[in-house]
């Protein structure tokens, strides 16, 4: 029988993405082997996540009233990238080729239809406009294409042009996992 704290850890962590019961068990035993000081440091880091809020403009995570992107006066407010996941922003930022602001829509359906919460986020983006350009930085999949068409219809009239990332990212590829050079090229060659 496992101690109840290890069992609780396994139950909680096994529910996380990419971690099942076996990986959670390994992780629990590894952490116990580090000692209590390291465990407390990790717990403090996790506790800090609870203090984050969501930026009311772009829906990225923030420690203050707005996120570091929306609050940065050096960023172009007339250039918007629409992404699915917060991790897509990190991938785009790693290229150092985009200096606009973002909109995190959340996981898009494979049907090309938007959730009511996603429509509200698009309405929030429209209120921030007008924009010179909106970049639909969505996954290069058939479903991404369906969603791009739907989002384009929602954003008509709020921007001079709507573009997609260039096809430097392979079809079926996810932005989060693209290397910096490929993603950078896709941003530069968007159409």
């Amino acid at each position: 029988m496992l101690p109840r704290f290890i069992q609780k850890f396994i139950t909680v962590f096994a529910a996380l993405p990419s971690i099942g019961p076996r990986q959670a068990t390994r992780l629990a035993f590894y952490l116990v082997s580090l000692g209590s000081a390291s465990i407390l440091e990790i717990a403090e880091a996790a506790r800090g996540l609870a203090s984050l809020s969501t930026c009311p403009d772009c829906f990225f995570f923030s420690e203050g009233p707005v996120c570091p992107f929306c609050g940065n006066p050096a960023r172009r407010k007339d250039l918007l990238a629409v992404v699915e996941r917060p991790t897509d922003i990190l991938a785009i930022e790693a290229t150092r080729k985009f200096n606009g602001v973002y909109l995190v829509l959340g996981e898009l359906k494979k049907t090309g239809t938007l959730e009511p919460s996603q429509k509200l986020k698009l309405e929030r983006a429209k209120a921030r406009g007008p924009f010179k350009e909106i970049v639909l930085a969505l996954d290069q999949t058939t479903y991404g294409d369906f969603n791009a068409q739907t989002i384009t219809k929602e954003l008509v009239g709020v921007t001079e042009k709507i573009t997609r990332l260039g096809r430097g990212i392979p079809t079926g590829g996810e932005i989060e996992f693209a290397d910096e050079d490929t993603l950078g090229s896709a941003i530069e060659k968007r159409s």
Side-chain angles (χ1 to χ4, degrees), residues 74-139:
R75 293 193 81 99
R76 288 184 53 195
K77 307 297 188 219
D78 64 344
L79 177 61
L80 176 73
V82 178
V83 300
E84 254 187 282
R85 300 167 289 273
T87 51
D88 294 340
I89 292 176
L90 301 179
I92 291 170
E93 284 297 303
T95 70
R96 294 179 295 285
K97 302 216 185 259
F98 182 80
N99 192 33
V101 291
Y102 296 96
L103 175 66
V104 180
L105 279 182
E107 203 69 32
L108 294 165
K109 289 183 174 182
K110 294 183 176 185
T111 60
T113 58
L114 299 172
E115 296 286 335
S117 63
Q118 292 167 328
K119 287 187 177 192
L120 288 173
K121 288 179 179 183
L122 287 171
E123 289 300 318
R124 178 70 186 130
K126 287 184 204 179
R128 292 167 67 189
F131 299 98
K132 286 190 187 258
E133 181 182 1
I134 296 176
V135 181
L136 301 181
L138 305 175
D139 292 338

Side-chain angles (χ1 to χ4, degrees), residues 2 5-35 38-39 42 46:
L2 290 174
F5 291 118
I6 289 179
Q7 188 56 54
K8 175 155 177 101
F9 180 94
I10 292 168
T11 301
V12 170
F13 276 76
L16 296 174
S18 303
I19 299 180
R22 184 177 291 169
Q23 187 68 17
T25 303
R26 288 184 190 128
L27 188 56
F29 283 106
Y30 173 75
L31 292 175
V32 170
S33 75
L34 293 178
S38 293
I39 293 171
I42 292 166

Side-chain angles (χ1 to χ4, degrees), residues 1 3 17 24 28-29 33-34 63 65-66 69 71 104 108 138 143 146 159 169 176:
M1 282 300 205
F29 283 106
S33 75
L34 293 178
E63 292 181 47
V66 294
F69 308 111
V104 180
L108 294 165
L138 305 175
Y143 307 118
F146 289 150
T159 183
I169 298 172
E176 179 180 359

